[in-house]
Amino acid sequence: MTHIESTPEHGGPDGAGSRRDFIYFATAGAGAVATGAAVWPLINSMNPSADVLSQSTVQVDLSGMERGQRITVNWQGKPVFVWRRAQAAIDAARATPLDALVDRTDDVRENPNLKQPVPALDQNRTADPAGEWLIVIGICTHLGCVPVGQGPGDALGEFDGWFCPCHGSHYDTSGRIRKGPAPRNLDIPRYTLAEDLTLTVGA
């Protein structure tokens, strides 16, 4: 059996190895603390500032909108389609049976105003029981294009709602996918609509 003598290189009696290890770890620890102190301001600067956090909700006065009018609200970089629907659009949406839909259920991920999944009936997707107000996120659920239909003269698609020009998805007057590659209905943002028709998106 090979015998290794106790030398300073192997932590001998004079403790030089132990002192060297201590100095190494102390230096490394101090370096880590210094690096953390230098990097923390950079990391902290990446956190949302108060003014950015305040934009997590957007308020819009809808009282001046007329029946049939559509507007787009910018919320967290996303277009939110607001439509004060005429009766013909409401009737068309509510006359559509569930078995005619591609996506027959809206869940909490698609509509955070819900507490549980519900059938994708028009009355479950509107801001008011009468169905006058429809509020959806204007991003096609296929590959994220913005459907047309909000502007005067825009193509509405085969179901008079919205049409995605990127790959041909057609949405009806309730924002439900009816034809094309989109896998699900237009998502609905979290919002509240007060009696004075102040819309708060993100609330």
Side-chain angles (χ1 to χ4, degrees), residues 92-137:
R94 300 203 167 181
T96 303
L98 273 177
D99 58 11
L101 302 178
V102 175
D103 177 10
R104 300 176 184 177
T105 304
D106 288 326
D107 62 29
V108 177
R109 181 177 64 87
E110 298 164 345
N111 182 354
N113 303 294
L114 300 173
K115 294 183 179 179
Q116 60 187 14
V118 298
L121 297 170
D122 184 68
Q123 51 265 42
N124 292 332
R125 293 178 57 81
T126 57
D128 61 311
E132 189 173 336
W133 295 98
L134 181 69
I135 300 159
V136 295
I137 296 177

Side-chain angles (χ1 to χ4, degrees), residues 8 18 32 44 57 93 111 115 131 134 137 149 155 159 164-165 168-169 176 180 185-186 193 203:
S18 297
N44 193 44
T57 61
N111 182 354
K115 294 183 179 179
L134 181 69
I137 296 177
F159 300 90
C164 183
S169 292
R176 299 171 297 195
N185 306 324
L186 291 178
L193 184 60

Side-chain angles (χ1 to χ4, degrees), residues 34 75 77 110 139 159 169 174 177 179 182 188 202:
W75 171 64
E110 298 164 345
I139 297 176
F159 300 90
S169 292
S174 193
I177 181 63
K179 182 180 179 181
I188 296 173

Side-chain angles (χ1 to χ4, degrees), residues 140 142 147 157 162-171 177-183:
C140 181
H142 178 222
W162 292 272
F163 173 71
C164 183
C166 293
H167 302 99
S169 292
H170 298 252
Y171 296 92
I177 181 63
R178 301 295 297 279
K179 182 180 179 181

